[in-house]
Amino acid sequence: QVIKCKAAIMWEANKPFSIEEVEVAPPKAHEVRIKIVATGICRSDDHVITGGMVMPFPIILGHEAAGVVESVGQGVTSIKPGDTVMPLFVPQCGECSNCLSTKGNLCSKNEFASRAGLMPDGTSRFTCKGKAVHHFLGTSTFTEYTVVDESAAAKIDSAAPLEKVCLIGCGFSTGYGAAVQTAKVEPGSTCAIFGIGGVGLSVVMGCKAAGASRIIAVDINSDKFAKAKELGATDCVNPKDFEKPIHEVLIEMTGHGVDYSFEVIGRTETMVAALACCQYNYGVSVIVGVPPAAQKITFDPMLIFSGRTWKGSVFGGWKSKDSVPKLVADYMKKKFVLDPLITHTLPFTKINEGFDLLRTGK
């Protein structure tokens, strides 16, 4: 059965979302149709609107959500109708080299490389006003119903509060995992986090959970500092308060640079600054923010030659289908908090207001 429902469509770049009635086709073989209960707003969605991340329009954005399975296609074995699930913007097929490796998590079925905005078979499950609408990162959660590949859905505890655990679908896992999985922060180490929005705050929590002795939060919006301190930051630094480059400030504060730095903004200048502020011989810097399209980085190769490690981290290095149910279980056991990451809860029809709040740093 085709389902008619509401969705927030982005018809073209730099315009508001338009709430429209869409038709959502039934799931094909190895696909799952999900009723979305709660979805978060992430800066990566906004990057598509502003052109920082290039995707085809029209498109249904959203990639951080939780819901209930409405129906499944032929051959689906891991999930059944009625199951509580989280869509996964990084799938886990279990068969490609990245899925089979203990070192990798970016399944080759991911949409980051092609950015075609289609299901694995090259077609869309959404239509609006007779026009096909593109998917986003294999998830598309700004709609009452969506269709995802079986490899892009994880079954989770049905008792979990979906309006909170939906953050495990992107923001929390991405930040927390960057610290504990990708960087493998050690007890007693020093860390600097550039950008303390929802993902940056999750990095702060990860550094604290890993036992870091000093956690320096760096942001040009000082309104964010109180929450960063509440979640474990020991120092907060606003680059606007200094004449000198921020990496020099951090090196002075720590004596030799930090052991671990994290760029959680998605700006090339801050990526280089984060690299430069970590210890010159054994410091590790992790890029967590999505890099802007068509921009290149120029940096002094001595920064790397002296021994630093520069890494990237997608979805916190977690193998999605295996890890998401465990992270939800950890949340239910109160191993970490999510409430401080939630500033506002809005009805779906106010999605444009939600993006305004994101853009104004609120």
Side-chain angles (χ1 to χ4, degrees), residues 30-53:
H30 303 290
E31 294 177 358
V32 183
R33 188 161 59 182
I34 303 166
K35 180 181 172 50
I36 299 289
V37 174
T39 183
I41 288 176
C42 174
R43 180 69 73 175
S44 305
D45 301 306
D46 195 47
H47 285 331
V48 179
I49 300 167
T50 59
M53 183 176 184

Side-chain angles (χ1 to χ4, degrees), residues 186-204:
E186 295 140 332
S189 56
T190 55
C191 303
I193 297 102
F194 287 69
I196 45 171
V199 184
L201 290 169
S202 302
V203 177
V204 170

Side-chain angles (χ1 to χ4, degrees), residues 14 25 29-30 70 99 103 110 124 146 148 152 192 194 214 221 233 247-248 268 287 358:
N14 296 305
H30 303 290
E70 176 271 335
C99 283
K103 298 175 186 171
N110 81 78
S124 168
T146 192
V148 306
F194 287 69
R214 199 160 177 201
N221 179 354
H247 72 274
E248 290 179 17
T268 51
I287 293 176
L358 173 80

